Amino acid sequence: QDLVQIVTRPKLKSVHLLETEVKNDSSKLSEFYNLLVDGTFENDDEAAFHFYQQEKSHPAYLKLRKTIKDRLVKSLFLIDLKKASYDVRQKAYYESYSEWAAAKILFGKQAPAAAISLSQKLLKLAKKFEFTELVVDITHTLRLYYGTIEGDYKKYQSYNKVFKYYETLWLLENKAEEYYTDLS
């Protein structure tokens, strides 16, 4: 239910997933998506009974549910969030984490030049919007890269210094969040 609220029909159409991924592959996927959007089902039991006259633990229903969920999750990365009604910080947050996922994939696929360039751009954005956890993750990766792969001690030290500062800040933010949650 949460995914279909985010991955709406117009958004799916804009990335051509509704027509190509859902309709051509299975009419049940398309029907399931549309019924979810319409709020037809209260729970998995109702959906499983609608499609298979079985309980939600039925293997065919579990496969259908997993398939639609996987496709909706993958489509999140294809949606243009600039067109949505988010404020500047929200847009920066979604774009940053989407691009960070891409950078991590690039590192994993042994494409360091592209990954480093994207990481450095994201680091500036993450600092600007105070995405502390993202700064920690980026600088952790960059210090590891420059310290082990590239062997650039000066860059390693630079990123390590930034990492340590933001790691401390992140720990303090987490402690404040913990206290706030305990009070709530």
Side-chain angles (χ1 to χ4, degrees), residues 81-82 84-98 125 129 131:
L81 295 167
K82 291 179 182 175
S85 59
Y86 298 116
D87 65 33
V88 174
R89 191 170 196 283
Q90 288 172 317
K91 288 178 189 176
Y93 178 86
Y94 296 127
E95 289 174 12
S96 295
Y97 275 94
S98 179
L125 191 65
F129 285 98
F131 301 148

Side-chain angles (χ1 to χ4, degrees), residues 29-72:
L29 284 176
S30 181
E31 181 183 358
F32 192 21
Y33 175 83
N34 288 321
L35 291 171
L36 284 171
V37 170
D38 294 339
T40 303
F41 306 122
E42 291 279 327
N43 54 46
D44 278 321
D45 289 319
E46 289 181 11
F49 187 79
H50 174 83
F51 287 104
Y52 301 104
Q53 294 71 50
Q54 298 285 332
E55 293 181 5
K56 67 182 179 183
S57 60
H58 189 264
Y61 174 71
L62 292 175
K63 182 178 179 185
L64 176 68
R65 185 179 188 274
K66 181 181 180 335
T67 301
I68 194 82
K69 183 179 178 183
D70 289 349
R71 291 192 183 175
L72 290 172

Side-chain angles (χ1 to χ4, degrees), residues 124-139:
K124 289 177 187 173
L125 191 65
K127 285 179 177 179
K128 176 182 175 183
F129 285 98
E130 299 177 347
F131 301 148
T132 307
E133 188 174 357
L134 184 57
V135 173
V136 169
D137 201 14
I138 293 169
T139 54

Side-chain angles (χ1 to χ4, degrees), residues 5-184:
Q5 299 303 317
I6 297 167
V7 185
T8 61
R9 285 183 185 118
K11 289 177 182 175
L12 274 178
K13 286 180 182 177
S14 74
V15 295
H16 308 292
L17 284 178
L18 190 58
E19 296 87 6
T20 59
E21 291 288 328
V22 177
K23 285 186 180 174
N24 291 341
D25 189 35
S26 168
S27 60
K28 279 188 181 172
L29 284 176
S30 181
E31 181 183 358
F32 192 21
Y33 175 83
N34 288 321
L35 291 171
L36 284 171
V37 170
D38 294 339
T40 303
F41 306 122
E42 291 279 327
N43 54 46
D44 278 321
D45 289 319
E46 289 181 11
F49 187 79
H50 174 83
F51 287 104
Y52 301 104
Q53 294 71 50
Q54 298 285 332
E55 293 181 5
K56 67 182 179 183
S57 60
H58 189 264
Y61 174 71
L62 292 175
K63 182 178 179 185
L64 176 68
R65 185 179 188 274
K66 181 181 180 335
T67 301
I68 194 82
K69 183 179 178 183
D70 289 349
R71 291 192 183 175
L72 290 172
V73 168
K74 287 177 183 175
S75 70
L76 285 171
F77 294 100
L78 304 174
I79 294 172
D80 183 9
L81 295 167
K82 291 179 182 175
K83 295 179 182 176
S85 59
Y86 298 116
D87 65 33
V88 174
R89 191 170 196 283
Q90 288 172 317
K91 288 178 189 176
Y93 178 86
Y94 296 127
E95 289 174 12
S96 295
Y97 275 94
S98 179
E99 289 184 12
W100 181 233
K104 295 288 275 188
I105 290 169
L106 289 168
F107 276 116
K109 294 284 189 181
Q110 307 303 317
I116 295 295
S117 175
L118 187 55
S119 298
Q120 290 169 336
K121 180 189 106 181
L122 286 171
L123 182 57
K124 289 177 187 173
L125 191 65
K127 285 179 177 179
K128 176 182 175 183
F129 285 98
E130 299 177 347
F131 301 148
T132 307
E133 188 174 357
L134 184 57
V135 173
V136 169
D137 201 14
I138 293 169
T139 54
H140 173 264
T141 300
L142 290 173
R143 79 178 182 158
L144 184 64
Y145 174 78
Y146 283 112
T148 59
I149 308 297
E150 191 72 24
D152 187 329
Y153 189 69
K154 190 174 181 178
K155 286 186 179 179
Y156 160 77
Q157 284 184 311
S158 175
Y159 286 115
N160 192 42
K161 182 179 176 182
V162 177
F163 170 80
K164 286 183 177 186
Y165 173 80
Y166 278 90
E167 178 188 38
T168 302
L169 183 59
W170 182 69
L171 290 171
L172 292 170
E173 287 176 359
N174 278 299
K175 186 55 81 176
E177 183 181 279
E178 177 188 352
Y179 292 151
Y180 174 78
T181 305
D182 283 345
L183 288 172
S184 295

